[in-house]
């Protein structure tokens, strides 16, 4: 008889791949807490500490697991029931609903800027607090942060431009404490022929004899399409062409009697990333809507909403970069090859330091922009042109950097980083969306130039950079490099803004230069406020590798001694005057 039994398997001395799942992502980022000390009021900062720690644990454990499950089980659309009844229902995986409950319910991320009581804090929280928490949440789940941001932005726009009657009627729904009662928001802006060119909006708004507005037309890319409310751009039938006729409307999903409004979800998009969250196409078939403000003001109101969303995009890009960096640092500290840990190898140190510099730039820019927006909202006229240029700057550069940092971090994990069981593929896919939502890179770079031309934003930003440098301790020779870089960046940007015939061609270079000098100077100032020159060192690497003239074949081994000091993520115990890579 033939023996069909298998021979015993050989014993293999396998080394497990280091796995960071379950880590507290707040504690794994030792520089984050001190940075929050600079940007949050002391009492609020102390109050949020246990919440940040708890969210860090969730993001590295349960939330991360839910995000992976939701990413592999995207939502589906049921158009009709088997008996022919229209359903228009999106089915979300329980993992996604569990994350919704965390974001909207437990942490109140969409309402904390609009009402007190969230996380036990009696007043509405400043934007910096909201972004501090979102920054941790997005390290596990990117897709859901879009509905969170749109709900927050829609609420802000309604409060800012809506009539008292609309605010009284709908604001309580958008800021409800009970998750099951809280309404979600969306923006239905994009059309097949009117993407970034809002002036080409073809959706029509018709007013009935009784004053009711009804919307007709197709919206091509609508995330969170079954949201309770959406802000929609449309053109009233008697309005002029171009921007002057575009008007903003609030579209409810349900009418007062509980019936569905007259619009349909035609299909869901099969996207590269953010697979956990539904995006679809909408057909408006006489849907009842409420006008926001006056006819023809839609472009200005939409721009305010989009600016808020652009900063949110920057927050998400910064969070993705940090998660990618945290994973790369963990792997490089735990994985051994050729008798050493990866982080001991000079070339790996160089690559990790590059990722760190880009991630830290974005994080600093988040809080700098949040401060400018908060000051502008509070009525500070000088802050308005500053906020106006900072929002497209962070949207332009941080979102592009996230694509590179997440990809490079995937490479640190090696072949496992390409496997869907790990977080790396999800981070890479999601990172690519930031450069598309709320304006592609070309659009936001041109918006930087527009802010300079129309609102004098270059002067405001240059004054801001100068103030950062004036408050920063550093050696005189290093200060000369910062001032040289600042002068070059602003001269180049003004050249782009001043040339109305050909300046647009260099808009991207101009925007990148302004982002780099703004973040480098801000990090130098943060270093002084913290009493730790490590962030000054980060700012110098920004100058040397992203802003100042550089020979691509220069021998930069003299900078190598600083890299281990950066990668420990611990305070740098040196006098400020002794910290120079030049």
């Amino acid at each position: 008889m033939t023996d069909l039994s298998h021979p015993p398997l050989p014993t293999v001395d396998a080394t497990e791949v280091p796995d960071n799942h379950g880590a507290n992502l707040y504690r794994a980022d030792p520089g984050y807490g001190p940075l929050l000390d600079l940007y949050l009021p002391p009492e609020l900062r102390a109050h949020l500490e246990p919440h940040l720690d708890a969210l860090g644990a969730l993001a590295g454990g349960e939330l991360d697991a839910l995000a992976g499950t939701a990413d592999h089980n995207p939502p589906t659309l049921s158009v009709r029931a088997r008996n022919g009844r229209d359903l228009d229902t999106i089915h979300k995986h329980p993992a996604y609903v569990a994350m919704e409950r965390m974001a909207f319910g437990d942490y109140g991320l969409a309402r904390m800027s609009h009402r007190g009581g969230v996380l036990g804090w009696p007043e509405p929280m400043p934007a910096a607090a909201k972004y501090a928490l979102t920054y941790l949440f997005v390290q596990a789940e990117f897709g859901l942060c879009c509905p969170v941001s749109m709900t927050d932005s829609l609420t802000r726009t309604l409060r800012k431009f809506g009539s008292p009657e609309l605010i009284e009627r709908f604001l309580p729904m958008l800021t409800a404490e009970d998750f099951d009662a809280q309404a979600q928001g969306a923006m239905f802006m994009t059309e097949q022929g009117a993407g970034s060119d809002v002036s080409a909006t073809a959706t029509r708004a018709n007013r009935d004899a009784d004053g009711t507005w009804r919307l007709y037309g197709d919206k091509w890319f609508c995330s969170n399409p079954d949201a309770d409310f959406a802000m929609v751009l449309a053109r009233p039938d008697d309005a002029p062409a171009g921007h002057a006729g575009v008007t903003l409307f609030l579209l409810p999903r349900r009418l007062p009697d509980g019936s569905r409004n007259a619009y349909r979800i035609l299909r869901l998009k099969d996207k590269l990333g953010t697979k956990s969250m539904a995006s679809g196409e909408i057909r408006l078939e006489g849907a009842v809507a409420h006008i926001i403000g006056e006819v023809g003001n839609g472009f200005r109101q939409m721009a305010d909403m989009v600016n808020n969303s652009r900063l949110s995009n920057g927050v998400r890009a910064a969070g993705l970069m940090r998660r990618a960096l945290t994973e790369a640092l963990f792997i490089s500290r735990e994985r051994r090859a050729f008798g050493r840990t990866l982080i001991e190898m000079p070339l790996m140190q160089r690559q990790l330091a590059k990722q760190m510099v880009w991630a830290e730039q974005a994080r600093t820019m988040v809080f700098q922009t949040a401060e400018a927006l908060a000051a502008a909202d509070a009525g500070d006229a000088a802050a308005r042109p500053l906020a106006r240029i900072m929002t497209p700057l962070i949207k332009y550069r941080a979102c592009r950097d996230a694509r590179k940092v997440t990809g490079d971090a995937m490479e640190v994990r090696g072949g496992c980083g390409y496997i869907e069981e790990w977080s790396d593929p999800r981070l890479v896919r999601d990172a690519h969306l930031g450069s598309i939502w709320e304006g592609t890179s070309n659009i936001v770079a041109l918006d930087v130039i527009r802010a300079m031309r129309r609102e004098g934003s270059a002067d405001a930003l240059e004054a801001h950079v100068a103030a950062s440098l004036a408050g920063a301790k550093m050696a005189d020779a290093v200060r000369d490099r910062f001032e040289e870089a600042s002068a070059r960046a602003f001269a180049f940007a003004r050249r782009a803004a001043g040339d109305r015939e050909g300046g647009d061609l260099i808009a991207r270079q101009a925007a990148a230069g302004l982002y780099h000098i703004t973040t480098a100077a801000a990090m130098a100032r943060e270093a002084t406020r913290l009493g730790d020159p490590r962030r000054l060192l980060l700012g110098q690497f920004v100058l040397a590798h992203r802003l100042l003239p550089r020979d691509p074949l220069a021998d930069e081994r003299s900078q190598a001694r600083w890299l281990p000091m950066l990668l420990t993520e611990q305070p740098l115990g040196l006098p400020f005057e002794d910290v120079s890579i030049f």
Side-chain angles (χ1 to χ4, degrees):
M1 177 179 290
T2 304
D3 183 4
L4 298 179
S5 63
H6 292 286
L9 294 174
T11 301
V12 177
D13 183 18
T15 301
E16 292 184 357
V17 177
D19 190 346
N20 200 32
H21 180 74
N24 185 313
L25 297 183
Y26 179 59
R27 298 181 189 179
D29 183 1
Y32 192 36
L35 203 61
L36 293 178
D37 293 341
L38 304 183
Y39 290 104
L40 293 175
E43 289 187 16
L44 178 58
R45 170 71 182 91
H47 178 83
L48 286 178
E49 176 64 19
H51 298 291
L52 290 160
D53 191 62
L55 182 54
L58 276 175
E62 181 184 357
L63 181 57
D64 187 56
L66 290 171
T69 300
D71 186 67
H72 289 93
N73 295 274
T76 59
L77 174 65
S78 290
V79 178
R80 278 189 165 186
R82 64 183 184 180
N83 64 0
R85 178 170 56 89
D86 288 337
L87 290 176
D88 209 27
T89 300
I90 293 177
H91 304 281
K92 303 171 184 177
H93 192 274
Y96 183 83
V97 177
M99 293 192 296
E100 284 184 304
R101 190 170 293 277
M102 290 178 185
F104 285 98
D106 299 343
Y107 283 90
L109 297 178
R111 68 180 187 274
M112 64 172 47
S113 293
H114 307 289
R115 61 167 296 165
V118 178
L119 298 179
W121 189 252
E123 304 293 333
M125 294 191 204
K130 170 181 62 184
Y131 296 136
L133 290 159
T134 303
Y135 177 83
L136 281 173
F137 194 98
V138 78
Q139 291 186 42
E141 166 59 14
F142 183 98
L144 176 58
C145 286
C146 172
V148 169
S149 171
M150 290 193 297
T151 303
D152 173 52
S153 295
L154 182 146
T155 304
R156 168 191 163 94
T157 301
L158 175 64
R159 292 178 61 197
K160 193 168 183 178
F161 300 112
S163 68
E165 186 273 330
L166 289 179
I167 295 172
E168 182 180 2
R169 182 177 171 187
F170 296 126
L171 188 64
M173 302 182 199
L174 291 160
T175 59
E177 290 186 81
D178 182 3
F179 167 73
D180 294 313
Q182 184 180 5
Q184 293 189 27
M187 293 188 293
F188 299 167
M189 306 288 187
T190 306
E191 301 177 8
Q192 287 169 276
S196 299
D197 185 5
V198 175
S199 65
T201 295
T203 299
R204 296 187 299 108
N206 180 269
R207 197 170 192 180
D208 292 349
D210 64 359
T212 301
W213 286 97
R214 297 185 180 274
L215 305 184
Y216 300 85
D218 285 7
K219 294 295 184 180
W220 182 245
F221 201 107
C222 305
S223 291
N224 208 24
D226 62 341
D228 302 280
F229 298 97
M231 287 292 181
V232 182
L233 287 178
R235 189 184 308 280
D237 286 340
D238 56 353
H243 286 145
V246 176
T247 303
L248 190 65
F249 293 87
L250 180 67
L251 176 74
R253 177 76 169 146
R254 298 270 171 190
L255 299 176
D257 64 1
S259 62
R260 288 194 301 111
N261 205 349
Y263 66 91
R264 292 183 291 140
I265 305 171
L266 299 179
R267 68 168 181 149
L268 298 185
K269 304 285 195 180
D270 185 8
K271 298 172 292 182
L272 172 69
T274 64
K275 288 180 173 292
S276 63
M277 183 268 301
S279 299
E281 298 167 22
I282 297 290
R283 174 159 294 166
L284 301 154
E285 301 172 319
V288 172
H290 309 280
I291 192 168
I292 300 295
E294 302 296 328
V295 170
N297 283 341
F299 181 77
R300 178 175 62 86
Q301 295 160 345
M302 181 275 301
D304 181 86
M305 186 174 180
V306 166
N307 269 342
N308 199 55
S309 296
R310 282 177 174 174
L311 174 53
S312 179
N313 268 279
V315 175
R316 282 174 266 166
L320 287 179
M321 282 190 271
R322 180 61 220 190
R323 173 63 189 281
L325 175 63
T326 294
E327 293 295 317
L329 288 170
F330 172 80
I331 289 294
S332 62
R333 289 165 180 158
E334 296 295 324
R335 190 71 180 262
R336 298 186 65 84
F338 310 109
R340 291 185 292 175
T341 59
L342 299 186
I343 203 167
E344 294 177 288
M345 300 178 179
L347 196 55
M348 179 61 76
Q349 290 176 356
R350 188 177 187 276
Q351 295 308 107
L352 289 170
K354 179 189 293 186
Q355 295 169 41
M356 181 175 287
V357 168
W358 292 19
E360 292 286 2
Q361 281 186 269
R363 180 153 69 178
T364 286
M365 195 66 171
V366 163
F367 291 109
Q368 292 281 302
T369 309
E371 283 193 334
L373 269 177
D377 286 345
D380 184 347
R384 288 172 188 161
L386 183 61
R388 174 67 182 83
I389 196 170
M390 278 186 162
T391 46
L393 282 178
I394 190 171
K395 169 66 169 67
Y396 170 66
R397 191 67 261 170
C399 292
R400 293 189 64 78
D401 286 351
R403 291 156 50 175
K404 185 71 164 61
V405 170
T406 54
D408 286 357
M410 171 189 279
E411 188 177 339
V412 174
R413 200 184 296 275
C416 287
Y418 201 66
I419 305 303
E420 290 288 348
E421 292 172 307
W422 302 87
S423 61
D424 307 82
R426 188 170 78 247
L427 296 178
V428 171
R429 290 195 304 268
D430 290 350
H432 278 71
L433 191 53
S435 294
I436 299 172
W437 270 345
E438 322 304 351
T440 60
S441 298
N442 283 351
I443 292 297
V444 289
L446 291 171
D447 197 37
V448 170
I449 301 301
R450 190 179 302 113
M452 296 173 65
R453 287 171 177 167
R454 296 180 180 178
E455 301 176 50
S457 290
D459 293 341
L461 187 62
E462 189 169 30
H464 177 78
V465 169
S468 295
L469 292 177
K473 286 195 278 187
M474 62 186 78
D476 290 342
V478 173
R479 186 174 301 278
D480 289 344
R481 292 300 187 99
F482 272 95
E483 291 178 351
E484 174 195 351
S486 180
R488 284 172 52 87
F490 282 99
F492 188 88
R494 287 192 172 95
R495 188 155 66 249
D499 183 359
R500 293 183 177 271
E501 296 298 323
D504 288 358
L505 185 62
I506 56 174
R508 292 170 71 113
Q509 294 166 270
L514 294 181
Y515 175 85
H516 295 324
I517 190 56
T518 301
T519 53
M523 286 194 286
R525 174 62 177 142
E526 289 167 346
T528 301
R529 295 176 66 194
L530 290 169
D532 175 13
R534 183 175 174 276
R535 297 193 74 75
L536 172 62
L537 187 59
L538 286 165
Q540 290 181 41
F541 273 104
V542 173
L543 295 189
H545 291 269
R546 309 202 77 183
L547 200 52
L548 290 172
R550 177 171 172 260
D551 179 357
L553 297 179
D555 188 338
E556 295 169 342
R557 280 177 288 181
S558 62
Q559 298 177 4
R561 72 184 187 94
W562 297 102
L563 301 183
M565 300 182 202
L566 278 184
L567 298 179
T568 63
E569 298 196 280
Q570 298 301 315
L572 190 58
L574 292 172
F576 279 80
E577 292 75 14
D578 292 348
V579 176
S580 174
I581 67 171
F582 300 110

